[in-house]
Structures are given as C-alpha cells and as structure tokens.
Amino acid sequence: MNGKFPQHFLWGGAVAANQVEGAYQADGKGLSTSDLQPQGIFGAITPRMPGDSGIKDVAIDFYHRYPEDIALFAEMGFKCLRTSIAWTRIFPQGDEETPNEAGLAFYDRLFDEMAKYGIQPLITLSHYEMPYGLVKNYGGWGDRRTIAFFERYARTVFERYKHKVKHWLTFNEINMSLHAPFTGVGLPPESDRSAIYQAIHHQLVASAKAVKACHEIVPEGKIGNMLLGGILYPLSCRPEDLLETQRQNRDWLFFGDVQARGYYPAYMQRFFRENGIQVEITNEDRQTLRETIDFISFSYYMSGCVTADPEQYETARGNILDMVPNPHLASSEWGWQIDPIGLRYLLNVLYDRYQKPLFIVENGLGAKDRVEADGSINDDYRINYLNDHLVQVAEAIDDGVEVMGYTSWGPIDLVSASKAEMSKRYGFIHVDRDDVGNGSLERRRKKSFYWYRDVIHSNGASLKDRR
Ligand code: BG6
C-alpha cells in the first residue's frame, strides 16, 4: 500500500462526548437526551431521579482522564481526534442567553492538550444528544425555535475555539432520525412521519446556518455533514430489487443531497406527496439551505441488501437500519456484516455524486476482548477488520476519490451507543470497566495499538492486502 495515502492524510480516531466523558452533571452541565437513555438509543426514555445511575454517567471518565488518553493517542501518532462538544455543557437547558463558562473552559483544556502533540480536533456539534430542556419545553427539533438555540450554541463555540479547531461537523449521522427520532431530533419514538420530516427539516436548516456561521467566524475553517453510510445492494438483479434499492438508498442520500447541493432533490417531492407528508418549508429556509458544506463525512460499519419481495424480507441484526443479510458476507458478534469492499464502493458513490472531499469519521469492529494472564490483549480480529477496510480506502484513493482522513471509531473502549454496553469494544486501548460499571478504569494497550501506530507511522505502507 506504499504511496497511496496523501502526505497530509488525517489519521486518527473518533469518540463522542456522551460515550466517553461521564461527569454528566459536572461543572453546571444540564441533562441531555442521552442522559435520559441510560440503556442506549434502543433503551427506554426514563426521567432521571436522584440516586439513579447509568453506565454513561461515568463512561470512561474521559472528562478527568483526557490527558492520559491524549498521550496514548499521541503515542500511536494520531494527527486528528474526532470528538463532540456536549451542547449541555455550554447551554445546560439549551435556551439560556449566556453560555456556561465552566463547560467552555473544559473544551479549552482538551483542545490545548491535543495541540501539545499536534493532534487536530475534528469536532461534531451534536453527536446523538441535545439539551433535554429543549425537548421538554419546546418539543425538540419539532419546534422551529430550536434552530435559533442551536445557532447561538454553534456561534458561541466557533467564536471561542476559532483558533484551535479548524474542522467541524454539524449533526452526527443526521439520517438516523428516521429510525431513532428521540436521539436524532428529540421527538417521541411513536411520532408520525410528517412530524419527523418537519423536525429533520429544521435540523437541516440549522445545519446550513452553522455552515454559514463557521465560514464567517472560523478563519480557514472547514465544515462537513455526517451521514450514516448505510449503503445497500440489491439482493438480486431483478429490476424491482434494483429500483427498491435505489429508493432505500435515497432515504439516506437525501440528507447529503440537501447539505451538499443546497436544495431538496426532486424525488423527495414525489415521496412527500405520495405518502401524505406535509413539511413547512419557507422561502427563507430555501435561501438558508443554499449555504453548503465543504466536505462529506460518514460512518461505515457494514452494508446490507434490499429486496422488493416481502416474503424474502427478514431483518438483519443491524444497528439502526433494517437490512436483508448478504449471503456472501460474514458477520461480527453483533450481527453486523463485514464488507471492506463496500467501503471502496461507498467512497466512489459519494464522490461521484458530490465531487467534494470525503472524510471517513467512523469505522471499526465492536468485539469482545479477552485479557490474557500476562495482561496482553491479542485482538487480531480487529486488526484484520481495520486492515482490510484501509486497504479498500487506499484502492478508492487510487480510483481518484479525494479522502481527507480516517478516524476509526472508539480508539479507546467506550460505551456503545445502541445498548450502552462496555463489552462491545472497539478500542486500541482497553478500559477496565464492565457492562454494569465494575472495574478500575485502567487503560491498557492492545495488540492493535502497536499495529495502528505502525500504520500511521508508515502512512499506510504497512497495510497488507490479504485477498
Ligand atoms: C455510530 C455512532 O452509529 O455507530 C456511534 O455514531 C456509535 O455513536 C457507533 O457508537 C457504533 O455503534 P454502537 O452501538 O456499537 O456503539
């Protein structure tokens, strides 16, 4: 794989505030939607009572241990670390006029620590959480006023960190709101499609406002969107399967189309019309949407298949999307189908469609690890997964796709998003904590730690084509 990765390729890892920081009420932080789902995205929404606890309340205690963790990332040679800002540290209820200084100061310390090692931050404004105050008092993204609250938050952090953070993302996996409306847009799970698309519309407008603000405030700032790259293949070459696959891929590509092109694609008009979906879109909204992103970012874990035949339709154990299993692919312990070539395919699809630089901001294998008697963790399965995906990234770069960087998901073990598990580990660094919170939180390097260090140091030359 010599020479395929560009010289300034941003190698690194990605985490999210609510899955690593803990300290869920420290220094004035308000409750977020994530705090109300202690069992994860697919768990119940529970009011937090005094004395209640959940695994995310401490998570891996990154809030206090970040200097040790950043030093470990630096040891691997990270050029970039993706994390998110917890909106509720800055605006605890969401609708305050002035920000919480203690929350702002935390991220100053974090970014300064990264700067010591030359690690560039890539910052998501909203990763699977928003202030619960905005849900309770306004109805989340269902209410147009949330756009202005988000814009105030975005402008506040752009002003504060404009000399420290040059790469930004708006909403994590913005397309997942269709599948998990509480996490995505702060709506009850049983909301109808008109309500969900209206909330999504408000979020798309807010995203465009953040893009504008970033361009105004952050010198040389670049801002991208973030899609759950759920690429789907037809299960067969029947034309009906192909058409259904195109339709379902458009369910998520729609978000990228609006954010990258600046307007709603025509196919959505028909979709709204035929499904009786009403969305209020003002002329001012149309104008705002014209402010488009600088690059496309996405997560990629697996691919899936589509059939137009209801009899063949069975549900694969995907995370958020329902997909038909691909008979040619193996699966992870969590039933996610492993498809490195799909990453090359997806990179080409997105580049053909948008002609904008791409950033792979999540990819990785959630697996159970075993700590051996001598303390080592031999995670060859993770090395193989990541190696094979990166080989395909190199191929896509050779195809001519412009790839800015690659941040593997969970470079340090963290709490999983879907079910709030610690045992679903993605890290190069092991954290001693189990699913119910036992453990010392001690950090330990896995075999993959040294493997990734070599990949970064060799700029990809150490990758092996195992096909
Ligand atoms: C993505 C999310 O959907 O997948 C992350 O952006 C999440 O927040 C990741 O952690 C993996 O999912 P899980 O459920 O294994 O944590």
Side-chain angles (χ1 to χ4, degrees):
M1 290 298 125
N2 242 335
K4 297 217 170 163
F5 290 89
Q7 210 190 339
H8 299 292
F9 193 74
L10 290 169
W11 294 101
V15 299
N18 73 85
Q19 292 172 259
V20 294
E21 286 179 2
Y24 85 111
Q25 287 186 306
D27 299 329
K29 179 182 172 298
L31 286 180
S32 76
T33 44
S34 166
D35 295 321
L36 267 80
Q37 288 193 296
Q39 309 299 328
I41 293 171
F42 297 116
I45 301 162
T46 51
R48 297 299 301 245
M49 299 297 182
D52 281 359
S53 66
I55 190 92
K56 287 187 274 180
D57 299 357
V58 175
I60 60 161
D61 195 28
F62 184 74
Y63 192 77
H64 300 108
R65 292 168 192 247
Y66 68 87
E68 183 190 346
D69 297 339
I70 304 290
L72 286 164
F73 298 151
E75 199 181 316
M76 282 186 277
F78 276 26
K79 314 279 181 232
C80 174
L81 177 68
R82 173 183 176 226
T83 187
S84 60
I85 294 178
W87 184 352
T88 48
R89 292 202 191 282
I90 314 302
F91 290 98
Q93 299 302 315
D95 60 356
E96 295 88 344
E97 300 264 321
T98 48
N100 172 33
E101 176 54 34
L104 287 167
F106 166 68
Y107 292 104
D108 267 323
R109 294 196 296 277
L110 177 63
F111 301 149
D112 290 347
E113 195 66 25
M114 289 163 63
K116 273 196 208 165
Y117 302 97
I119 299 176
Q120 294 189 40
L122 167 63
I123 299 303
T124 316
L125 289 167
S126 177
H127 189 125
Y128 279 1
E129 57 177 335
M130 70 184 297
Y132 180 58
L134 293 183
V135 173
K136 198 173 52 175
N137 301 322
Y138 298 88
W141 283 100
D143 191 303
R144 194 169 267 280
R145 287 173 293 180
T146 298
I147 300 173
F149 297 132
F150 180 79
E151 189 183 358
R152 180 184 295 160
Y153 157 62
R155 285 184 176 270
T156 302
V157 295
F158 292 153
E159 280 294 349
R160 178 77 170 217
Y161 309 121
K162 63 185 171 194
H163 299 304
K164 299 182 182 180
V165 181
K166 298 297 179 183
H167 289 107
W168 296 86
L169 303 175
T170 58
F171 295 94
N172 183 62
E173 295 189 337
I174 185 164
N175 45 315
M176 60 73 75
S177 298
L178 293 173
H179 312 277
F182 183 73
T183 301
V185 283
L187 290 189
E190 63 281 2
S191 303
D192 68 29
R193 281 203 288 186
S194 285
I196 294 174
Y197 273 105
Q198 185 67 59
I200 284 169
H201 172 69
H202 293 150
Q203 210 170 56
L204 286 167
V205 171
S207 174
K209 283 189 183 266
V211 171
K212 184 163 191 286
C214 181
H215 291 157
E216 282 169 14
I217 298 169
V218 183
E220 284 131 46
K222 297 267 180 244
I223 184 159
N225 65 342
M226 201 302 201
L227 301 168
L228 189 167
I231 193 78
L232 297 166
Y233 307 151
L235 188 61
S236 80
C237 51
R238 282 173 66 223
E240 289 83 357
D241 281 0
L242 204 67
L243 208 61
E244 180 58 15
T245 306
Q246 182 184 56
R247 191 192 67 70
Q248 290 197 27
N249 274 324
R250 280 175 166 175
D251 282 350
W252 66 271
L253 286 166
F254 150 69
F255 294 82
D257 289 354
V258 176
Q259 293 177 303
R261 296 173 177 159
Y263 54 89
Y264 274 58
Y267 60 80
M268 281 312 272
Q269 311 302 337
R270 177 169 183 179
F271 172 75
F272 287 158
R273 193 174 65 241
E274 291 185 348
N275 290 281
I277 296 170
Q278 312 285 338
V279 181
E280 183 207 49
I281 303 175
T282 67
N283 285 336
E284 199 187 327
D285 293 346
R286 285 196 185 87
Q287 201 50 40
T288 304
L289 290 176
R290 298 209 161 269
E291 195 80 30
T292 54
I293 46 172
D294 302 310
F295 63 96
I296 311 280
S297 90
F298 65 92
S299 60
Y300 177 77
Y301 294 90
M302 60 188 142
S303 61
C305 293
V306 170
T307 167
D309 177 358
E311 286 199 356
Q312 283 195 59
Y313 208 95
E314 38 174 314
T315 303
R317 283 166 295 148
N319 197 22
I320 288 165
L321 310 175
D322 290 339
M323 302 184 295
V324 180
N326 184 329
H328 306 287
L329 297 176
S331 297
S332 78
E333 287 172 89
W334 270 263
W336 294 15
Q337 291 205 289
I338 301 171
D339 180 14
I341 292 174
L343 179 52
R344 175 181 179 182
Y345 177 65
L346 175 59
L347 283 161
N348 276 280
V349 166
L350 293 173
Y351 198 62
D352 285 353
R353 196 171 181 108
Y354 301 121
Q355 296 282 299
K356 288 191 190 264
L358 305 179
F359 206 140
I360 304 150
V361 298
E362 283 186 36
N363 172 236
L365 179 72
K368 292 196 171 122
D369 289 333
R370 197 173 74 225
V371 184
E372 305 294 346
D374 65 358
S376 62
I377 297 158
N378 299 306
D379 53 344
D380 291 294
Y381 37 89
R382 182 168 294 112
I383 293 172
N384 289 341
Y385 177 102
L386 294 169
N387 176 83
D388 296 352
H389 282 76
L390 282 167
V391 164
Q392 295 300 324
V393 175
E395 293 288 0
I397 292 170
D398 226 3
D399 292 334
V401 178
E402 208 179 331
V403 186
M404 296 165 69
Y406 173 92
T407 54
S408 73
W409 178 249
I412 183 165
D413 292 345
L414 39 65
V415 182
S416 81
S418 40
K419 292 194 190 139
E421 294 166 299
M422 271 304 300
S423 52
K424 189 179 189 186
R425 297 176 183 275
Y426 286 88
F428 306 117
I429 302 162
H430 181 270
V431 176
D432 179 27
R433 194 156 201 242
D434 68 14
D435 287 342
V436 290
N438 299 315
S440 64
L441 290 166
E442 190 197 338
R443 278 54 170 157
R444 187 185 295 270
R445 295 167 186 79
K446 305 182 193 176
K447 187 174 177 186
S448 56
F449 180 97
Y450 303 101
W451 169 84
Y452 198 44
R453 186 191 60 183
D454 292 346
V455 170
I456 298 176
H457 284 181
S458 67
N459 200 28
S462 64
L463 294 166
K464 293 195 175 54
D465 195 337
R466 305 188 311 128
R467 286 170 294 175

